[in-house]
Amino acid sequence: MRRQAMSLVTDLIPDGAFHGVASRQSMKESILHHLRYTMVNLPQQATPRDWWLALSLAIRDRITDDMSATQIAHNRDNVRRVYYLSMEYLMGRMLINNAHNIGVYDAAKQAIEELGLDWEQVCDEEMDMGLGNGGLGRLAACFLDSLATLDLPAIGYGIYYEFGLFKQEFLHGRQVEHPDTWIKYGTPWDIIRPEYSQTIQYYGRVETVYDNAGNSRPVWLDTRSVMGVPFDIPVAGYGTKTVNFLRLWSSHSTEDFDLEEFNKGDYVEAVRSKAMGETISKVLYPNDQNANGKELRLVQQYFFVACSLADILRRFEKMNSDWTTLPEKAAIQLNDTHPAIAIVELTRILLDDKHLSWDTTWDIVTRTFAYTNHTLLPEALEKWSVGLFEKVLPRHLQLIYEINHRFMGKVVQHWPGRDDICRALSIIEEGDHKMIRMAHLAVIASHKVNGVAELHSQLLKSELFPYFDQFYPGKFTNKTNGITPRRWLLGCNPGLVQLFEQYGIDRDWPKNLERLRKLESFMDDEAFLDAFMTVKHQNKVHLAKIIKKECGIDVDPFALFDVQIKRLHEYKRQHLTLLNILTLYHRLLNGSDIDMVPRVFIFGAKAAPGYALAKNIIYAINRVANVINNDPRTKGKLKVIFLPNYRVTLASHIIPAADLSEQISTAGKEASGTGNMKLALNGAVTIGTMDGANVEILEEVGPDNIFIFGLNVDQVRALDSQGYHPYQYYQQDEELKGALDWLCSGHFTPNDPHAFDDIRHSLLAGGDPYKVMADYRAYMDCQQQVSDAYQDKTRWARMAVLNTARMGKFSSDRTIQEYADEIWQLPAHPV
Ligand SMILES: *Cc1c(COP(=O)(O)O)cnc(C)c1O
C-alpha cells in the first residue's frame, strides 16, 4: 500500500533541521532523492506526477520534525487543548499552502524551475482534498490554519472519506456527478497511525442488570463493532514551529466481525460482509444546508465522534486521573450539530464506564462542549427520528431522554404552567413521528453557543432560540467568521503579494492582516492605482485562459468580471442573477443599452444531487449562456461562463480575477458567507444584500465602497406577515415579466419548451419564498450603479484597493483568537 510506503520515507532522509536553511540547493537534492528512492524513477523519464510527489515529500520532510516536536511539547506540558469536531474539512490542495507556511515557497519554486520544470504544471498534479460541501467545511480548514499559526494546541477530528464531494460535469448543460477518487493513488500528506486505532460499538440493545445489592444498571449488549483507523494530516502554522494535525478516521471491520459465518465455514461470505464496516467512511453526503435523515449518515456521525472521544480520553488518561479536571484539559468545539452525539457519548462513558454520578457527569459535559450554529434554515436543522436513533444507539437514546427530563424539570420551575414553552424547548419534538432536535441537545449541553456573524447571532437569539436565550442569559455569543490570508491572498494572488513588497507593506501582513490598511495611503498615487489594476488585469488574463481551456469560450479581460461562486441554492439566488442577465441581453437586442459596460458573468456552483430545482437553475444558466455566447448581436458585450466543478482550487483562480462579487442572498438566510470575504480581500467590490457578514463588510469598507440593495431582514419579515404577492411585482415590472416569460418561452430550449416551468412556478404560484421578484428592481438599479462606477477607472481602482486594505477584521486569526479568549480560555503554547 502506497500510503504506508510513504510513511516510511522520512526514515530515509538524513537528519537535519531544514528550517531557515531551506535553500533551493537542499530542496533540489531532496526532490531528486525522493524521485530516485520513493518514486523509483529518474529525471529523464519522470512524469509530472512523479515530480509533484517528490516535491511534496521534500516539503513534508521539512514539516514532520516540527510536528513531532510540537506533539512532544504539548504532551510533556500536559497542555489544555481544543478539539475541533467537524464532519467536513474542505482543505483543497496542500502543497503551496504548506510551502508558504514553513517558509520554503521560493526555494521550492526555484528548485523546480532549475530542474527544468514548470511550477504551475507540477502544482496542478495535486488533487483537491475536497472532504466538505462548502462554507462550513472550508471554515474548518481556515480555522486549522489559524490555530497552528497562533500556536494554539489543537487537534481537528473528522472522517477520512474515500470519496469527497462529487466531481461535477455538464452534459448538454445539465449537471452530472462523478465520484471524487482523490485518494486512489494515495496522498503524500497523510500519516497512518494504526497504533491509535479505536473499536467502537453500535446497534444492539440495552438490558437492565442487577448487582448483589439489588442495584440496577443498564448494559448495552449484542452490539456490532467497527474499527476506526486514524490518518493524520499535518497542519503547519505560518511562520511558527507549531505543527498541529487533523486526525481523520477511516472505518474498517473488526476481525471478529462475522465470526459466526466464519465458524460456519463460510469463509468467503465472512470476508464479503467484512466490507460492511468499510462503507461507513466511504463517501461524503453531498447535501449543503439540508439534513437528510439517512441511517448511514447517523452511523457516520457516531463513528467519528466515538473514535474521536475515545482518542481524547485516552490522551487525557495518560497524564491525568481526576475526571472532574477534564474540562481544564479539553475544550470540544462542535462545528454545527453534526458531531453533537459526542455530548451523549461523553455522558455515557462517564456514567456507565467510569461510574460517575449524574451531577458530576453533567457538570463535566457542560464545561467541555461549545456549539457553533451555522444556519437558521429549517431544512438544515438536524432532527433524527426516535425510532432510527433507538435502532443505532439505544443506550444513547435513553440518555437523551434523561437529559431532556432533567432539563424539562428546570424549565417548569422557570415557567410554571407554560406547557407551550416546554414543548418549544424540549429535545424531543412530539407528533406522529417523534424526532430528536439535535440543536436543542447542543444548546442545553454547551456552555457557549455562537453564531457566525453579528446579524446571524442576533437572529439566533431573537428568532430561533428566544426562550433558550432567556433561560440561559449570556450563553449565546457571536464569532464572526474569517478566512486565512495565507491561502486566500498569499497563496492565490502572487501578483498582489509582489505589489505589497514594492510598496513597502510590512512583510508580516499574512499574520497581521490589519497591515494592509497602509494601502490607504496610496489612494492618490496614480502609479500605485495603475499597478494594482494591472495585477487585477493579469489575473483576469490568467482566468480567461482557464475559461478558454475549460469551456472553449473567449472572454475579453477588459470586460467587467462579475462573479458568483458558491453552492447552488435558492436562498443564494443565482436565479436572480439569471434574470439580470436575461434583462441585459434583451436590452442589448432591442438597442436600449448600446453603451452597456461589457460584462462577463462567471458562475461556479455545485447543486446537491437530489435538489431538483437547483439543478434546473444550473441547466437554465447553461442554456441561456449557450444562446448568448453564440449571438453575434451582443458584439461581445455579454458573456456567460459557468465553470464546471467549483472547488477550492478553482476558487483560488477565480477570486483574484474578480471585479464584482455577487452576495445576493435573501436577507436573513445566509448565516455569514466567507466567499464574500475572500473576494473583497482580493480587490473585488461587493454587490450584496444586508445579510450575513455583508453587513460587517459594509461597516469596514464604508458605504461608498460596496453596493448594497434590496430588502433588509425587517422588510422581509414585514412582507411575510402582511402577505407577499410575487405576481404583483411580475405584472408591474415590464422588464421582469419580459425576462421571466422569455426564459420560459422555449426560446432557450426549443426541444423542451417546458424545461423551466418549475423555476417559473417557484417564483410565482409557488409564492417565491426567497423574494426574488421583490428584490429584482432594486437589484437592476444597483447593477446600473455598478456599471457607472466601473466606467470611472480611478474611482473603481480606489474602491478595489480599499476593499483589500480594509479586510483585516476578516482574518480567521481574529476569529480564532476570539474563540480562544472567550469560549475556550485557551492560551498559546509556542514550541
Ligand atoms: C469559500 C468557499 C465556499 C463558501 O462560499 P460562500 O459564498 O460563503 O457560500 C464554498 N465553496 C468553496 C470551494 C469555497 O472556497
Side-chain angles (χ1 to χ4, degrees):
M1 205 167 101
R2 142 123 320 134
R3 294 202 286 269
Q4 276 157 316
M6 285 193 305
S7 308
L8 301 172
V9 160
T10 29
D11 300 339
L12 302 172
I13 300 302
D15 277 346
F18 291 102
H19 260 287
V21 294
S23 69
R24 61 176 188 276
Q25 193 54 35
S26 86
M27 184 64 78
K28 207 152 77 179
E29 282 163 19
S30 194
I31 294 168
L32 289 167
H33 177 95
H34 277 295
L35 190 70
R36 185 165 165 192
Y37 292 106
T38 313
M39 315 334 302
V40 193
N41 216 330
L42 294 169
Q44 48 272 36
Q45 53 189 10
T47 64
R49 184 170 185 280
D50 290 327
W51 286 112
W52 162 73
L53 203 38
L55 169 63
S56 298
L57 291 168
I59 289 171
R60 197 184 89 153
D61 292 340
R62 288 155 172 78
I63 295 176
T64 41
D65 282 341
D66 284 343
M67 179 174 176
S68 303
T70 302
Q71 297 317 313
I72 286 167
H74 288 174
N75 289 334
R76 177 196 60 211
D77 301 337
N78 191 17
V79 296
R80 174 170 175 77
R81 289 182 177 88
V82 64
Y83 295 110
Y84 197 78
L85 268 52
S86 177
M87 282 280 265
E88 303 191 7
Y89 291 90
L90 201 48
M91 305 291 280
R93 288 179 181 161
M94 241 86 70
L95 194 159
I96 292 176
N97 190 239
N98 280 333
H100 273 301
N101 282 18
I102 63 169
V104 302
Y105 179 81
D106 290 336
K109 185 161 181 281
Q110 286 163 14
I112 283 293
E113 283 164 357
E114 282 177 23
L115 287 161
L117 300 156
D118 182 79
W119 172 252
E120 266 194 49
Q121 196 195 341
V122 171
C123 293
D124 263 344
E125 287 294 315
E126 184 169 355
M127 298 271 278
D128 271 40
M129 187 173 175
L131 309 186
N133 275 286
L136 175 145
R138 184 53 234 176
L139 185 76
C142 284
F143 279 6
L144 294 181
D145 187 86
S146 286
L147 283 161
T149 298
L150 295 172
D151 293 319
L152 292 165
I155 298 175
Y157 282 106
I159 298 174
Y160 194 86
Y161 299 108
E162 188 177 333
F163 299 98
L165 186 59
F166 64 85
K167 191 171 146 217
Q168 178 195 55
E169 276 181 7
F170 296 137
L171 196 63
H172 309 302
R174 292 188 201 271
Q175 169 174 299
V176 204
E177 302 92 22
H178 300 279
D180 162 48
T181 55
W182 75 285
I183 203 64
K184 196 157 148 193
Y185 303 112
T187 165
W189 305 116
D190 68 12
I191 301 155
I192 188 167
R193 301 283 194 202
E195 68 273 31
Y196 297 129
S197 294
Q198 293 288 348
T199 299
I200 60 115
Q201 313 297 316
Y202 59 143
Y203 294 100
R205 62 196 171 84
V206 182
E207 218 170 68
T208 308
V209 298
Y210 294 86
D211 63 16
N212 298 337
N215 297 314
S216 71
R217 126 185 115 77
V219 200
W220 186 18
L221 36 77
D222 292 344
T223 56
R224 286 193 225 169
S225 63
V226 65
M227 187 167 63
V229 179
F231 288 77
D232 291 352
I233 316 283
V235 179
Y238 177 85
T240 167
K241 283 176 82 72
T242 296
V243 179
N244 291 327
F245 61 88
L246 169 60
R247 179 158 286 180
L248 300 176
W249 299 97
S250 174
S251 68
H252 295 269
S253 292
T254 48
E255 272 158 48
D256 60 347
F257 186 72
D258 260 308
L259 207 56
E260 209 175 298
E261 269 159 21
F262 192 81
N263 290 339
K264 273 191 290 185
D266 198 344
Y267 166 76
V268 169
E269 185 52 30
V271 173
R272 192 201 63 80
S273 56
K274 242 173 100 71
M276 282 286 290
E278 330 270 302
T279 62
I280 296 175
S281 60
K282 186 67 75 177
V283 57
L284 166 74
Y285 277 94
N287 304 313
D288 191 57
Q289 307 277 0
N290 191 260
N292 75 359
K294 291 275 196 311
E295 180 169 336
L296 178 58
R297 169 81 173 186
L298 179 64
V299 170
Q300 284 185 337
Q301 293 184 348
Y302 179 65
F303 163 73
F304 110 84
V305 151
C307 290
S308 306
L309 257 186
D311 196 52
I312 292 166
L313 299 187
R314 170 191 61 75
R315 193 173 294 110
F316 176 80
E317 283 189 287
K318 262 199 306 199
M319 304 288 286
N320 310 272
S321 49
D322 177 359
W323 286 107
T324 64
T325 66
L326 179 68
E328 291 159 33
K329 295 297 171 189
I332 303 182
Q333 188 68 34
L334 304 172
N335 195 24
D336 212 306
T337 58
H338 315 148
I341 300 167
I343 293 160
V344 198
E345 175 71 357
L346 181 59
T347 305
R348 184 191 68 80
I349 294 169
L350 296 180
L351 211 57
D352 292 0
D353 297 350
K354 311 297 176 190
H355 306 294
L356 301 187
S357 72
W358 181 275
D359 288 342
T360 307
T361 296
W362 192 243
D363 180 64
I364 294 169
V365 168
T366 50
R367 286 193 291 133
T368 301
F369 286 100
Y371 155 55
T372 304
N373 172 284
H374 284 271
T375 184
L376 307 169
L377 298 184
E379 65 270 29
L381 294 173
E382 283 194 303
K383 292 174 187 174
W384 289 109
S385 112
V386 165
L388 175 61
F389 210 94
E390 183 168 31
K391 176 180 166 196
V392 178
L393 299 168
R395 177 61 185 142
H396 295 73
L397 180 66
Q398 290 182 340
L399 292 169
I400 287 175
Y401 276 129
E402 184 66 25
I403 292 167
N404 197 45
H405 177 73
R406 288 166 185 264
F407 173 65
M408 286 290 110
K410 292 187 189 140
V411 174
V412 169
Q413 274 178 26
H414 197 273
W415 285 290
R418 291 294 302 270
D419 283 3
D420 58 326
I421 298 182
C422 283
R423 265 196 305 280
L425 293 188
S426 173
I427 299 174
I428 308 296
E429 182 181 272
E430 301 293 338
D432 289 348
H433 209 84
K434 276 211 248 182
M435 305 291 280
I436 305 168
R437 298 158 166 161
M438 299 307 282
H440 290 212
L441 173 66
V443 169
I444 292 164
S446 297
H447 61 278
K448 281 283 181 336
V449 177
N450 74 283
V452 290
E454 290 289 350
L455 175 64
H456 167 66
S457 298
Q458 282 305 321
L459 295 173
L460 215 52
K461 290 198 278 188
S462 63
E463 295 186 358
L464 193 60
F465 297 132
Y467 290 120
F468 277 122
D469 184 40
Q470 289 176 42
F471 189 78
Y472 296 119
K475 184 181 279 204
F476 290 83
T477 67
N478 174 249
K479 295 287 165 280
T480 299
N481 281 169
I483 55 168
T484 169
R486 275 73 66 182
R487 182 174 296 263
W488 297 113
L489 190 50
L490 181 63
C492 73
N493 203 339
L496 210 48
V497 171
Q498 206 188 332
L499 187 72
F500 295 165
E501 191 83 5
Q502 282 163 20
Y503 279 81
I505 302 301
D506 290 287
R507 298 184 81 170
D508 69 345
W509 67 263
K511 58 190 311 167
N512 213 335
L513 198 57
E514 292 287 347
R515 297 275 193 238
L516 297 189
R517 281 210 189 262
K518 190 169 168 198
L519 295 171
E520 293 192 31
S521 60
F522 306 123
M523 273 314 90
D524 297 314
D525 180 341
E526 256 180 62
F528 171 78
L529 295 178
D530 267 359
F532 189 95
M533 293 314 285
T534 300
V535 170
K536 179 63 77 181
H537 186 80
Q538 284 160 354
N539 293 338
K540 290 165 77 173
V541 170
H542 186 245
L543 180 59
K545 284 193 192 124
I546 294 173
I547 290 171
K548 179 71 178 174
K549 181 161 165 277
E550 295 292 321
C551 311
I553 297 169
D554 290 300
V555 297
D556 176 10
F558 288 97
L560 189 164
F561 278 20
D562 182 332
V563 166
Q564 191 168 18
I565 45 174
K566 47 185 74 258
R567 285 299 286 252
L568 206 307
H569 201 293
E570 287 164 274
Y571 86 79
K572 292 174 183 276
R573 301 200 294 192
Q574 281 93 352
H575 46 341
L576 178 54
T577 308
L578 180 59
L579 291 173
N580 176 27
I581 291 169
L582 286 159
T583 306
L584 294 180
Y585 183 35
H586 191 227
R587 286 180 191 170
L588 268 181
L589 296 190
N590 70 19
S592 66
D593 194 6
I594 36 175
D595 292 328
M596 187 186 127
V597 171
R599 280 201 199 216
V600 180
F601 287 89
I602 298 165
F603 293 91
K606 288 175 180 173
Y611 188 173
L613 191 60
K615 288 179 135 180
N616 197 226
I617 293 170
I618 289 179
Y619 184 49
I621 294 171
N622 276 325
R623 296 306 306 203
V624 170
N626 192 257
V627 170
I628 291 178
N629 295 338
N630 291 297
D631 187 342
R633 295 173 298 173
T634 64
K635 301 205 168 58
K637 289 193 174 188
L638 192 56
K639 285 276 159 76
V640 182
I641 305 297
F642 204 137
L643 281 161
N645 204 27
Y646 180 57
R647 62 198 187 284
V648 170
T649 293
L650 190 53
S652 72
H653 294 304
I654 298 172
I655 287 167
D659 292 308
L660 187 65
S661 161
E662 300 270 356
Q663 308 298 337
I664 60 174
S665 51
T666 316
K669 300 291 184 189
E670 186 74 270
S672 164
T674 50
N676 47 3
M677 302 167 188
K678 301 168 197 166
L679 283 152
L681 180 59
N682 284 273
V685 180
T686 301
I687 182 167
T689 48
M690 287 295 268
D691 201 15
N694 294 353
V695 177
E696 290 159 75
I697 292 177
L698 164 65
E699 276 171 20
E700 294 300 303
V701 302
D704 293 342
N705 301 299
I706 188 168
F707 296 91
I708 298 289
F709 73 94
L711 303 171
N712 63 28
V713 172
D714 294 339
Q715 292 165 328
V716 168
R717 300 289 177 265
L719 258 194
D720 279 331
S721 62
Q722 79 203 24
Y724 171 53
H725 304 291
Y727 253 107
Q728 285 177 358
Y729 297 87
Y730 170 80
Q731 298 292 1
Q732 286 163 17
D733 193 320
E734 220 172 285
E735 277 195 315
L736 172 56
K737 183 170 186 306
L740 187 56
D741 288 351
W742 198 17
L743 174 68
C744 302
S745 66
H747 179 76
F748 300 96
T749 50
N751 298 324
D752 183 7
H754 295 289
F756 306 129
D757 285 1
D758 289 351
I759 297 177
R760 184 185 174 87
H761 179 270
S762 84
L763 293 179
L764 294 172
D768 185 20
Y770 299 99
K771 312 290 180 295
V772 173
M773 308 306 271
D775 271 343
Y776 168 84
R777 183 46 54 189
Y779 182 51
M780 292 307 302
D781 292 347
C782 194
Q783 285 286 13
Q784 187 56 54
Q785 292 174 35
V786 170
S787 291
D788 295 346
Y790 193 71
Q791 278 180 310
D792 181 343
K793 290 294 162 213
T794 307
R795 178 178 167 204
W796 189 273
R798 287 201 178 112
M799 291 175 74
V801 172
L802 288 176
N803 269 269
T804 298
R806 296 178 177 174
M807 282 304 108
K809 172 174 179 184
F810 302 104
S811 167
S812 47
D813 298 346
R814 186 271 312 152
T815 312
I816 284 297
Q817 194 59 60
E818 287 180 11
Y819 275 90
D821 292 342
E822 296 161 27
I823 297 182
W824 305 328
Q825 273 79 48
L826 183 67
H829 194 89
V831 182

